Amino acid sequence: MVENVKERLYFKRRYVMYGITTILLFCIPFIKINGNQIFLLSFDRKQLHLLGVAFDMQELYLMPFLLILMFLAIFFMTTLAGRVWCGWACPQTIFRVLYRDLLETKILGLRKRMENRQLEPDMSLGSNKVKKVISLVIFACLALVAASNLMWYFVPPEDFFNYIQNPLEHKYLFIFWLGFTIALIAIVVFIKENFCIYMCPYSRVQSVLYDNDTIMTVYDYKRGGEVFDAKGIKLWKKPEALNAECTGCEACVKICPTHIDIRKGMQLECINCLECSDACTKVMGKLGKMTLISWTSPQSIEDRQKVRYMRFKTIGYIVAMVVVFSGLLMMSSKKEDMLLNINRQELYTIRDNGRVENSYVFLFQNTQKQAYDFYFEVQNNAEIQIKRPSKPFRIEAGEKSKQVVVLYTEANLAKDAQKDTHIPLEIRAYAVDSQEPIEVFRKSVFIYPPNKSLH
Ligand code: SF4
Ligand code: SF4
């Protein structure tokens, strides 16, 4: 029986998940594909890195797809499995387990028992005050490392370690770094689970996404017996109905980090950590019975059927995610080798020899990792020539270059006696000294004055 009870406990699986999440979050900034991070939003470099592809700020047409995908994924996850993120992978929950359970309870003995989270340490004792200071100092060091980890998603680790050697030149980095550290200490040490209950925006919206088939922490009132009435008023500590299995030990209530009684039904405060389920598994295990609190859907408790994972809502979210993800892949495959913006200047200039000139400003950006010489050509009209710039120009890696461009023609391209003629241009800009083709194509227009002789 003891073996069976151990197998049914969730805490080991939860700790493994915490370990995997921590390792992943810590390592992701160091994993590079083609020299780019898996995820980086760098305001310094004005770049977004996504799965090893670097996008310049001017290429952020992917952002709407990413945001829609992120929201759809959150909606899907919440509809399917409620607040599973909160209990199993949220850094706030992981930090609370590290600080409250490992540091304060197991290592320092500041809290008496892990099984009773309602009991706060007696801070009138001098020894407890010392322990509290020690726990704060240790957690502050951990928070500093965690805040650095968060920064690496915005400042690449190699830049981060360079910048912190020159604090005066990178004041903002230090302000954010220390700000995140202090916020983390405040949330984990002082605000505690109140953050999950009152401050986290996700907890505010998740309840509207639930339905009766959503997996959550559910008390089996059919076996255990009703403890609260329909208005949420507690009827008794131990259900007095005939055959009610709940012993009224309240092990599930005492262990709950958000201080709720799950026997009351689904509550916003529940972070799905399943500590109450483990507590009940131990109590009921001694009686040779199954836990009264499980990770299942209210509907499956009601009709004793398996959880319905695939239903209209969840299938709808999967389809929507596939559509948006395909759009994201399609758009990211259109990523260009370099960037070029073309702006036409004044209408046109007519020289004494009849030559007609049009001016433009070409804004080039070398998005490659090394410097190249760039130039361009008019592809679709041999009559239109380049006057300026007369030769290729060098652009360093990641840098921009603004070029005043003058195109001219000595041919008579007028098609009308009264109106200007708009001649479409197809421009190909390219790196002249690259082995691989680095090129972009742009459209513009050359304007030619009216020719009275056409009357
Ligand atoms: S731990 Fe189980 S038996 Fe004890 S009060 Fe909670 S639900 Fe009832
Ligand atoms: S009710 Fe259970 S699952 Fe919900 S927060 Fe409390 S202990 Fe965790």
Side-chain angles (χ1 to χ4, degrees), residues 14 83 87-88 117 193 216-218 251-263 265 267-279 293-295:
R14 209 171 50 240
R83 252 179 123 167
W88 290 70
R117 303 253 167 74
E193 276 73 21
M216 56 184 85
T217 311
V218 190
C252 54
V253 184
K254 289 178 202 142
I255 203 167
C256 177
T258 61
H259 301 186
I260 58 170
D261 188 337
I262 196 63
R263 296 173 300 170
Q267 289 150 81
L268 269 186
E269 294 87 341
C270 176
I271 56 168
N272 257 298
C273 64
L274 291 159
E275 300 241 25
C276 53
S277 173
D278 283 354
I293 303 168
S294 335
W295 198 21

Side-chain angles (χ1 to χ4, degrees), residues 140-160:
C141 299
L142 190 68
L144 202 62
V145 176
S148 319
N149 188 186
L150 176 62
M151 295 288 293
W152 299 334
Y153 288 89
F154 301 94
V155 181
E158 60 275 17
D159 289 0
F160 178 84

Side-chain angles (χ1 to χ4, degrees), residues 21 24 84 93 111 127 132 137 150 196 221 247 276 295 340:
T21 310
L24 274 179
V84 63
T93 306
R111 289 170 183 273
S127 60
K132 188 76 187 175
V137 171
L150 176 62
C196 316
Y221 74 95
T247 63
C276 53
W295 198 21
L340 173 61

Side-chain angles (χ1 to χ4, degrees), residues 212 218-228 236 238-247 262-265 280 284 289-294 296-306:
N212 253 357
V218 190
Y219 168 67
D220 187 345
Y221 74 95
K222 287 191 169 174
R223 276 179 54 216
E226 301 262 21
V227 182
F228 290 82
W236 36 55
K238 176 190 169 350
E240 292 180 357
L242 200 64
N243 297 331
E245 289 179 35
C246 175
T247 63
I262 196 63
R263 296 173 300 170
K264 197 172 178 179
C280 191
M284 297 306 283
K289 296 180 181 175
M290 296 287 286
T291 182
L292 294 168
I293 303 168
S294 335
T296 185
S297 71
Q299 193 61 46
S300 73
I301 290 284
E302 212 48 59
D303 52 22
R304 299 289 182 218
Q305 297 290 321
K306 283 190 176 163

Side-chain angles (χ1 to χ4, degrees), residues 324-342:
V324 177
F325 189 67
S326 310
L328 184 70
L329 283 185
M330 224 173 67
M331 294 302 283
S332 53
S333 68
K334 287 187 180 165
K335 179 176 161 43
E336 296 182 303
D337 302 330
M338 55 180 279
L339 296 175
L340 173 61
N341 274 337
I342 298 179

